[in-house]
């Protein structure tokens, strides 16, 4: 339930509190579905704008792309949330007290030999020296509706070190993951919406619902939801 997300908030604050120039901390959100509820989004904003001193913290997000997910609607919404956060990050990050943030997505070839037929369902996250393993997604649906479980492993330096090494290898491999931080900052939201309309039309055709839905009625509702 919501206690899991409350634990994440506490663990993120703890990572910021113990981070020093000689012992920087990393928060890795490696999660299948990334549409943050407002409390997690607000905390990340406070960590990058210096409201919470997180100058020695790096926040890394690695999640599905729309090509690898099995829930396209999540990614369509998530991209606009991340666009808004990327804009806030670019405009408001405190150079001394603000955390460094990067956002990455999987490429289809990284998921398996069948490409987009396979999807990441992983939920393992690093909060400084601690690791969370469970079923909870970093999204609004998981926070508001789903029943989840999780285990927080405290002070696991060997596990954290080996896990971070594995993650960083994937992030450095341009055939497996893509860093979209600069893309989100530099893109116009109008262009993202135009791309999403194309994706929505493809999904209507893919699932054969064109005969049941009037495109002239669907598209304005679709755009209105994303706006």
């Amino acid at each position: 339930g919501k206690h899991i997300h409350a634990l994440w908030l506490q663990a993120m604050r703890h990572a910021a509190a113990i981070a020093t120039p000689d012992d920087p901390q990393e928060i890795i959100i490696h999660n299948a579905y990334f549409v943050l509820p407002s409390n997690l989004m607000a905390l990340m904003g406070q960590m990058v704008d210096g409201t919470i001193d997180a100058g020695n913290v790096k926040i890394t997000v690695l999640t599905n792309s729309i090509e690898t997910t099995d829930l396209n609607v999540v990614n369509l919404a998530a991209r606009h949330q991340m666009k808004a956060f990327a804009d806030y990050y670019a405009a408001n990050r405190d150079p001394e007290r603000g955390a460094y943030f990067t956002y990455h997505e999987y490429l289809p070839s990284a998921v398996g030999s069948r490409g987009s037929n396979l999807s990441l369902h992983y939920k393992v996250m690093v909060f400084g020296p601690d690791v969370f393993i469970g079923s909870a997604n970093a999204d609004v649906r998981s926070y508001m509706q789903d029943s989840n479980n999780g285990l927080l492993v405290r002070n696991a330096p060997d596990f954290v070190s080996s896990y971070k090494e594995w993650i960083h290898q994937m992030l450095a491999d341009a055939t497996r993951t893509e860093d979209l931080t600069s893309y989100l900052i530099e893109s116009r939201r109008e262009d993202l919406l135009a791309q999403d309309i194309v994706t929505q039309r493809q999904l209507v055709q893919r699932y054969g619902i064109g005969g049941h839905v009037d495109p002239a009625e669907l598209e304005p509702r679709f755009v209105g939801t994303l706006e």
Side-chain angles (χ1 to χ4, degrees), residues 129-203:
D130 307 327
V131 180
F132 174 87
I133 305 168
S135 67
N137 292 303
D139 67 355
V140 177
R141 181 189 60 177
S142 187
Y143 178 69
M144 297 298 298
Q145 297 178 328
D146 292 350
S147 296
N148 292 292
N149 56 52
L151 177 69
L152 182 69
V153 182
R154 301 294 303 274
N155 299 317
D158 292 340
F159 182 83
V160 167
S161 178
S162 60
Y163 184 75
K164 286 167 61 175
E165 181 180 359
W166 178 66
I167 289 288
H168 292 157
Q169 288 176 351
M170 284 197 295
L171 297 180
D173 188 344
T175 67
R176 303 180 69 185
T177 63
E178 184 177 15
D179 185 345
L180 295 176
T181 315
S182 296
Y183 169 77
L184 289 171
I185 292 173
E186 296 167 3
S187 295
R188 298 188 312 157
R189 190 151 185 273
E190 294 81 359
D191 295 334
L192 295 181
L193 278 171
Q195 295 170 17
D196 290 340
I197 290 173
V198 173
T199 300
Q200 178 257 329
R201 291 171 180 169
Q202 292 172 342
L203 292 175

Side-chain angles (χ1 to χ4, degrees), residues 64-184:
N64 275 310
S65 62
I66 198 166
E67 293 85 7
T68 65
T69 188
D70 61 342
L71 286 173
N72 308 97
V73 65
V74 172
N75 288 70
L76 289 172
R79 188 161 68 152
H80 292 271
Q81 185 189 61
M82 280 296 94
K83 168 59 179 171
F85 183 78
D87 288 346
Y88 184 84
Y89 174 76
N92 297 281
R93 178 179 180 255
D94 188 294
E96 295 183 359
R97 292 172 55 91
Y100 182 73
F101 172 82
T102 59
Y103 175 82
H104 309 255
E105 290 182 352
Y106 276 101
L107 297 171
S109 60
V111 180
S113 59
R114 289 183 291 156
S116 59
N117 291 329
L118 296 180
S119 177
L120 174 73
H121 283 273
Y122 207 75
K123 292 100 178 177
V124 177
M125 293 179 283
V126 172
F127 300 107
D130 307 327
V131 180
F132 174 87
I133 305 168
S135 67
N137 292 303
D139 67 355
V140 177
R141 181 189 60 177
S142 187
Y143 178 69
M144 297 298 298
Q145 297 178 328
D146 292 350
S147 296
N148 292 292
N149 56 52
L151 177 69
L152 182 69
V153 182
R154 301 294 303 274
N155 299 317
D158 292 340
F159 182 83
V160 167
S161 178
S162 60
Y163 184 75
K164 286 167 61 175
E165 181 180 359
W166 178 66
I167 289 288
H168 292 157
Q169 288 176 351
M170 284 197 295
L171 297 180
D173 188 344
T175 67
R176 303 180 69 185
T177 63
E178 184 177 15
D179 185 345
L180 295 176
T181 315
S182 296
Y183 169 77
L184 289 171

